[in-house]
Amino acid sequence: MTDARLLTIDTGYLRPELAACYLRVQGGEAAVIETNTARAAPRVLAALEAAGVRREQVRWGIVTHAHLDHAGGAAALLRALPAATLVAHPRAARHLVDPERLVASATKVYGPDAFEAIYGSVDPVPADRVRTVEDGEAIDLGSARMAFLHTPGHARHHLVAHDPACDT
């Protein structure tokens, strides 16, 4: 697992090929970008196995923002990835550690039955497993360096990860 790879994983959100997360592999380490919902966790774990990535090699979970279709499964995925730390925008982190307001809002919109069918369980992420990144801050992934840019728009707490090793 030393080659640089970026793999797309269909999360199965609502229907096939609607939403994806990404597996970035570099130098013996991996990152999962976006966690989708708790219902996607088995698909992500199966994709890791298919790619030959051990769960212990996943160093980072990265969410672009705290909306449930992007980050609702963060806690479920982190439970299965013992060495992973979740990377998030500072404004998103509090919603990941305490998702009560997000869950209440989405439940009000969809109703409890539809919410359960779409999102499953949305559990809190342990605060000690969350790392916030400031605008322009970078983290290492194996021999790669990923930089984060705050990009408010879709959400005030939105960020993007720029990975020069994946530029084409």
Side-chain angles (χ1 to χ4, degrees):
M1 191 177 94
T2 58
D3 296 334
R5 293 185 280 163
L6 179 63
L7 306 170
T8 302
I9 303 166
D10 183 357
T11 62
Y13 178 71
L14 300 180
R15 64 174 172 78
E17 299 181 2
L18 177 65
C21 64
Y22 306 91
L23 175 61
R24 174 67 173 93
V25 181
Q26 180 78 42
E29 294 182 342
V32 174
I33 303 167
E34 303 293 35
T35 64
N36 198 259
T37 70
R39 301 211 180 282
R43 287 175 174 255
V44 174
L45 298 173
L48 289 173
E49 186 175 340
V53 177
R54 293 185 328 277
R55 293 178 184 194
E56 297 79 19
Q57 291 175 285
V58 179
R59 183 172 177 194
W60 306 109
I62 300 167
V63 293
T64 61
H65 60 294
H67 293 169
L68 297 179
D69 57 329
H70 289 260
L77 197 57
L78 285 180
R79 277 193 295 274
L81 304 173
T85 297
L86 189 68
V87 176
H89 188 289
R91 287 186 175 140
R94 66 186 167 111
H95 297 292
L96 301 167
V97 171
D98 181 6
E100 184 177 336
R101 287 180 55 197
L102 292 174
V103 170
S105 178
T107 301
K108 187 175 182 179
V109 169
Y110 295 108
D113 294 339
F115 177 88
E116 169 60 30
I118 295 168
Y119 300 108
S121 172
V122 179
D123 298 324
V125 175
D128 64 347
R129 294 194 66 190
V130 177
R131 175 175 171 178
T132 61
V133 288
E134 296 302 326
D135 188 42
E137 189 173 346
I139 62 170
D140 293 324
L141 177 68
S143 58
R145 190 131 175 96
M146 299 174 70
F148 295 89
L149 303 171
H150 290 189
T151 53
H154 177 63
R156 289 184 62 210
H157 58 269
H158 198 277
L159 58 77
V160 298
H162 178 242
D163 185 349
C166 292
D167 287 349
T168 55

